[in-house]
Amino acid sequence: MAPRNRVIIDTDPGCDDVLAMLLAFATKAEDLEVLLVSVTHGNVDVRSCLRNVVAIFHVLEKELRWRKEQGRPLGFEGITKYKPLVAIGADAPLQETTESADYFHGIDGLAGIHDSHPHFSPEEDWKNLFEQPPPDDDLTKQAKSKAEVNVNEPAKSFTPSLLPSHKEILRLLRENEPNTITLISVGPLTNFALAAAEDPETFLRCKEVVTMGGTVDGIGNVTPVAEFNVYADPFAAARVYALTSPKPSSTMPIPIEGEPSQHLPPYPAQLSKQLRLILMSLDITEFHALSRRDFNARAVALAEQGSPLAQWMIAFMTPMLDKMERLHTGHEGDGAALALHDPLCIWYVLTQDDARWRPSARSPEDIRVETAAQWTRGMTVGDKRPRKRRDSDGEVPHDRGNWLGNKSGNRVYRMMESPGRDLAAKYLLDTVLGPET
């Protein structure tokens, strides 16, 4: 039986990225298959992000052994019934300087867990899996065999790819039926932009793109107006958003003179379809959170019983919740909470038939990305004017930038309502750690 959803997850883990991937892997096989975990720069550098992805599989192998020994249901059919690919993607944005969020997520992306709890980290030999071996000879074969033994545990659960992420994304889209693969981005959109630039028609074979990023009605989390994922590569976000437009050239970013750039080509004037893009912005994600109270109520007892997964999650969640308590008002004690920015994308894909998911009343909205300003880099700009789209009839519309034209501007579905703010954390905990007993 084919899974109801097949997805590619592009990620820069990051604590909430890890929660999103745990939710995806813990989902029943008939509901979700993760074809590929595509790694990008973002919260930390791309190699650190890759190590965090491999660490997830490493910890889940330990968890599955523990659950088997305890006679518990194994779960995690996303790695027991499937074997996702893992590919390394972009290590820098398309243009301008690299930004990171290690000030928040910690130098390794997971609150320093690789130093504080090294037994939860895979052996360094895992790196060999992602390196092209030299031509085979006896010594090479012996070294390769030794490496495979050392990294056998996490590698049982995933298949390393030697292709760059964007090429692996295109290969999977090309080899599968159109409109059967959902692309989920929970980091900067660099890998998706590279794939779309290389072969836009193949990229448009996806069912839709679900992306965490931006803020339109709310405030930013890295500047007063910008959300981190868009801020980290505004050019990539602008290029992906542009594919939602009847005329992508109307919203494409303008290269900045003197800045390093990957010089991606413009899209063809005519494309076969417009991209369907679901935006999980801070306007919705900030209101779905996992509190210290709810997390500890489920994880602490399991950790005391010996669950490696619960112990690992406590090891990175506790310092993150402590940081939220230090930095933000309203996060005192058990009320400290981590917003479920990235898990919301997975939750949406799994439950999108629920009528309680609702986009903004203006959807599809013309949301554009600011790429060339001093103070507003990465701002996601929405048109809030109570004006109608229209074809020109000779009347001057006072509409600089063609925001109101029927053949210009982006068409983005920005989610504003979910099945319930309190349900998100419960859904996550029930799926990953098991239902309350």
Side-chain angles (χ1 to χ4, degrees):
M1 179 179 176
R4 190 161 54 91
N5 298 287
R6 306 177 80 214
V7 303
I8 290 170
I9 300 176
D10 194 74
T11 180
D12 62 333
C15 296
D16 54 325
D17 302 70
V18 168
L19 295 179
M21 281 186 282
L22 289 174
L23 176 58
F25 294 144
T27 296
K28 291 185 179 297
E30 64 261 29
D31 291 330
L32 187 71
E33 177 184 5
V34 180
L35 297 170
L36 167 67
V37 175
S38 163
V39 186
T40 184
H41 71 98
N43 287 318
V44 287
D45 66 276
V46 72
R47 298 301 297 195
S48 295
C49 289
L50 178 63
R51 177 169 63 168
N52 292 341
V53 169
V54 176
I56 294 172
F57 293 102
H58 178 71
V59 170
L60 289 182
E61 283 294 334
K62 293 177 179 291
E63 177 71 8
L64 289 169
R65 280 202 305 272
W66 177 78
R67 291 187 181 189
K68 186 175 181 179
E69 291 167 358
Q70 296 292 313
R72 296 170 179 261
L74 295 182
F76 288 99
E77 294 183 354
I79 65 170
T80 59
K81 296 192 176 181
Y82 303 117
K83 192 172 182 180
L85 286 160
V86 174
I88 309 171
D91 61 359
L94 299 184
Q95 199 162 347
E96 296 193 299
T97 56
T98 300
E99 298 287 340
S100 71
D102 55 5
Y103 59 88
F104 181 74
H105 289 272
I107 193 66
D108 62 0
L110 289 178
I113 196 170
H114 296 292
D115 289 331
S116 63
H117 296 74
H119 58 292
F120 286 133
S121 300
E123 296 292 336
E124 288 298 298
D125 284 344
W126 64 265
K127 296 176 182 177
N128 298 336
L129 292 169
F130 296 91
E131 296 174 358
Q132 183 71 51
D136 273 347
D137 57 36
D138 288 342
L139 290 176
T140 300
K141 289 178 181 177
Q142 291 174 17
K144 184 178 179 183
S145 175
K146 182 179 179 181
E148 287 175 347
V149 169
N150 288 342
V151 299
N152 183 53
E153 184 182 77
K156 285 193 299 186
S157 303
F158 72 89
T159 300
S161 171
L162 297 179
L163 287 176
S165 283
H166 73 281
K167 291 186 179 292
E168 195 69 85
I169 290 167
L170 290 173
R171 182 188 70 79
L172 289 168
L173 290 171
R174 199 175 289 123
E175 294 178 1
N176 288 274
E177 290 295 316
N179 303 313
T180 60
I181 297 175
T182 295
L183 303 181
I184 302 174
S185 170
V186 293
L189 280 160
T190 315
N191 289 332
F192 286 4
L194 290 171
E198 181 168 315
D199 190 343
E201 287 294 349
T202 295
F203 187 80
L204 289 172
R205 288 169 65 91
C206 73
K207 179 181 176 182
E208 62 186 4
V209 167
V210 179
T211 178
M212 190 279 131
T215 181
V216 175
D217 295 325
I219 59 175
N221 61 3
V222 66
T223 75
V225 296
E227 177 277 331
F228 175 79
N229 287 341
V230 178
Y231 182 86
D233 196 342
F235 284 84
R239 288 187 63 99
V240 173
Y241 287 24
L243 286 170
T244 71
S245 175
K247 186 179 179 182
S249 61
S250 67
T251 63
M252 285 283 278
I254 300 171
I256 297 176
E257 291 294 330
E259 286 285 344
S261 171
Q262 301 204 29
H263 300 295
L264 300 185
Y267 297 129
Q270 295 294 324
L271 291 169
S272 62
K273 60 181 282 193
Q274 293 168 229
L275 176 69
R276 177 175 170 83
L277 189 145
I278 308 297
L279 183 64
M280 293 292 176
S281 65
L282 296 182
D283 303 310
I284 184 172
T285 64
E286 282 284 0
F287 301 102
H288 296 74
L290 175 58
S291 71
R292 190 195 303 271
R293 179 185 299 103
D294 290 343
F295 175 70
N296 285 346
R298 303 292 288 280
V300 170
L302 282 171
E304 291 173 348
Q305 294 167 35
S307 164
L309 176 60
Q311 293 169 356
W312 184 61
M313 292 176 71
I314 288 171
F316 68 78
M317 283 291 292
T318 299
M320 293 306 299
L321 291 166
D322 290 344
K323 183 168 291 187
M324 291 299 296
E325 186 170 2
R326 289 196 304 274
L327 296 179
H328 298 278
T329 59
H331 281 262
E332 289 74 29
D334 282 350
L338 187 69
L340 297 174
H341 303 297
D342 297 339
L344 224 62
C345 292
I346 308 298
W347 190 34
Y348 168 79
V349 169
L350 293 170
T351 63
Q352 60 188 285
D353 293 337
D354 191 318
R356 291 173 292 179
W357 284 108
R358 294 178 184 170
S360 73
R362 300 191 296 271
S363 289
E365 297 177 77
D366 187 356
I367 297 175
R368 307 185 190 184
V369 180
E370 179 57 69
T371 60
Q374 181 177 5
W375 305 116
T376 55
R377 165 181 167 164
M379 182 179 183
T380 39
V381 183
D383 189 354
K384 303 175 186 178
R385 298 172 296 177
R387 303 275 294 278
K388 295 179 180 179
R389 290 190 178 276
R390 53 186 289 170
D391 291 316
S392 175
D393 56 7
E395 181 181 354
V396 178
H398 298 291
D399 180 37
R400 301 301 175 98
N402 295 317
W403 290 77
L404 300 172
N406 282 322
K407 297 181 180 179
S408 62
N410 295 330
R411 307 287 192 272
V412 174
Y413 292 87
R414 178 171 58 109
M415 284 295 149
M416 290 299 292
E417 295 182 35
S418 77
R421 295 182 181 184
D422 296 334
L423 294 180
K426 177 174 171 48
Y427 189 99
L428 172 73
L429 293 171
D430 284 349
T431 306
V432 173
L433 294 177
E436 291 180 276
T437 55

